[in-house]
Amino acid sequence: MDGKKVLYSAIQPTNNLTIGNYVGAISNWLKLQNDYDCFFAIADMHAITVRQEPAALRSKTLAMLALYIACGIDPAKCCMYIQSHVPAHAELAWVLNTFTYVGEMERMTQYKDKAARHAENVNMGLMDYPVLMAADILLYQAQFVPVGEDQRQHLEIARDIAQRFNNIYSPTFTVPEGLFLKVGAKIGDLQDPSKKMSKSAENPNGSVFLSDDRDTVIRKFRRAVTDSGSEIVFDPANKPGVSNLLTVYSVFAGKTVEEAERDFAGKGYGEFKLAVGEAVADRLAPVQAEQARLLSDREYLNGILKSGAERAARTAGRTLSKVYKKVGFYQI
Ligand code: TYM
């Protein structure tokens, strides 16, 4: 469309999104949506690799669409859809499975982590997750994939699979590149900044959820761990706690990290943490209100999902049919 390059990303509608998801993914999408032909999916098929409560998955899926729009993703510019509405994802994933080695999947760190956390349900889907993600990206011939640092390994494998297929047959897939923020690709847990902030954190004080109310947000930031010394400077190696907070502040206050450092020069940690909490709460309040308003208009949301799935299916169908021809599936 418009000769623009294609950009693809997705989020799983599991648990509540954190400000890590916002900074690492959505805030970056907002900046990119004008310059690329964007597809933003809701990855419900990825979500079921861990057991989900069906009613909750359904409502979180719709809430995710409302959140995308409430954050500022423009449905007039971007194609938003639900992964399971476009069958080509599962179809291409099957073909790509035959170009992916079991050993490669066993080595994925996220698989190893999740297998350890869900030892009672180490299902094939959990292991196959990166192949489905490769199918997502490759179906749209996406050039760029804006994600957080934790998805880097999955993106590498998507590139490997694309190149492998292209080499065996002929150029079929665009080999995608990850777009990682220089600052913010890995927001740390507020209680242990060496760990990534996660939707499923054990300590709920470590993660700030996009659904948290103002008091909760401010309380969590007040309790955030800082570092020894008293200077508020960006130095991830020596001051991981303060640097993490400066990163969050810069994104939510719309400033550079240097400007953020200047704002807090000579100030104390207490004042700093309160200001970070306030900046986050100030941004979340209107997003939450808009998300609630959108959720009361289901017809509007369903309309976006319907046209999104139709458009996605057209694009994805073109790639899938090329792939089917190349591998030798008989066509009528
Ligand atoms: P998911 O749902 O776990 O996370 C969504 C996005 O949020 C980013 N992210 C973070 N960024 C910075 N700091 C953090 N603490 C943090 N935590 C999460 C993730 O990197 C991601 O960008 N497999 C993907 C969803 C997916 C996908 C795709 C992404 C499915 N198909 C195709 C891109 C392309 C996932 O589970 O993300």
Side-chain angles (χ1 to χ4, degrees):
M1 218 174 69
D2 310 337
K4 286 181 179 168
K5 293 190 172 149
V6 178
L7 184 137
Y8 189 97
S9 201
I11 299 183
Q12 295 187 70
T14 48
N15 300 319
N16 290 322
L17 290 203
T18 68
I19 56 167
N21 300 119
Y22 180 82
V23 174
I26 299 178
S27 76
N28 204 12
W29 302 358
L30 291 173
K31 287 185 264 170
L32 297 163
Q33 64 175 333
N34 295 321
D35 300 326
Y36 297 92
D37 187 10
C38 296
F39 291 86
F40 296 128
I42 300 166
D44 57 346
M45 290 165 67
H46 278 104
I48 62 165
T49 58
V50 170
R51 215 48 87 219
Q52 302 293 330
E53 212 271 291
L57 179 61
R58 244 187 307 278
S59 67
K60 283 178 181 165
T61 299
L62 194 68
M64 182 73 81
L65 174 71
L67 183 73
Y68 284 0
I69 302 171
C71 286
I73 303 295
D74 182 351
K77 292 186 193 139
C78 306
C79 177
M80 289 182 266
Y81 71 96
I82 297 173
Q83 188 184 30
S84 66
H85 290 184
V86 181
H89 290 252
E91 293 168 312
L92 182 62
W94 178 256
V95 176
L96 297 184
N97 272 329
T98 66
F99 295 87
T100 309
Y101 300 106
V102 172
E104 288 175 311
M105 297 295 97
E106 282 171 337
R107 282 197 293 276
M108 295 282 118
T109 36
Q110 200 165 87
Y111 166 69
K112 289 192 274 187
D113 285 354
K114 284 195 182 171
R117 266 193 287 132
H118 303 277
E120 73 304 337
N121 182 20
V122 184
N123 61 73
M124 284 303 295
L126 194 63
M127 196 180 190
D128 204 27
Y129 181 114
V131 179
L132 179 60
M133 181 161 157
D136 296 344
I137 299 165
L138 302 183
L139 276 173
Y140 299 88
Q141 305 291 349
Q143 191 121 11
F144 296 114
V145 183
V147 280
E149 192 55 46
D150 62 339
Q151 298 299 320
R152 192 182 282 275
Q153 203 181 27
H154 293 159
L155 205 80
E156 276 306 312
I157 208 79
R159 289 167 57 84
D160 290 347
I161 295 171
Q163 276 159 346
R164 199 170 291 161
F165 192 98
N166 288 349
N167 288 339
I168 295 175
Y169 300 96
S170 52
T172 309
F173 297 122
T174 301
V175 179
E177 280 170 50
L179 286 184
F180 302 93
L181 288 170
K182 281 207 191 67
V183 174
K186 185 179 173 195
I187 296 297
D189 183 285
L190 295 189
Q191 294 298 316
D192 178 359
S194 67
K195 286 198 313 206
K196 82 163 183 179
M197 185 182 286
S198 157
K199 295 178 202 167
S200 50
E202 281 150 35
N203 183 346
N205 287 321
S207 295
V208 175
F209 298 102
L210 298 186
S211 55
D212 281 344
D213 62 34
R214 187 175 187 88
D215 288 350
T216 308
V217 171
I218 288 177
R219 178 172 47 78
K220 287 180 179 176
F221 278 103
R222 272 189 195 281
R223 289 190 188 167
V225 301
T226 39
D227 312 291
S228 54
S230 59
E231 255 194 314
I232 298 168
V233 287
F234 188 75
D235 177 0
N238 299 310
K239 294 206 141 205
V242 167
S243 303
N244 192 39
L245 293 174
L246 276 170
T247 303
V248 170
Y249 178 82
S250 72
V251 171
F252 281 87
K255 299 188 177 185
T256 64
V257 170
E258 294 72 36
E259 285 167 341
E261 280 178 327
R262 277 201 294 278
D263 282 358
F264 298 110
K267 305 227 165 107
Y269 282 162
E271 194 179 339
F272 169 50
K273 290 197 278 187
L274 178 63
V276 183
E278 283 176 339
V280 172
D282 286 350
R283 167 75 176 126
L284 293 188
V287 168
Q288 290 165 353
E290 178 62 0
Q291 186 189 21
R293 190 191 68 77
L294 287 162
L295 280 169
S296 68
D297 191 351
R298 192 174 279 231
E299 219 174 306
Y300 169 72
L301 295 177
N302 284 345
I304 290 175
L305 290 173
K306 190 160 178 291
S307 58
E310 283 165 4
R311 183 165 163 232
R314 274 198 302 280
T315 306
R318 281 197 289 275
T319 300
L320 187 69
S321 104
K322 274 193 212 161
V323 168
Y324 275 16
K325 271 194 210 126
K326 294 203 182 189
V327 299
F329 288 169
Y330 180 76
Q331 328 257 309
I332 299 173

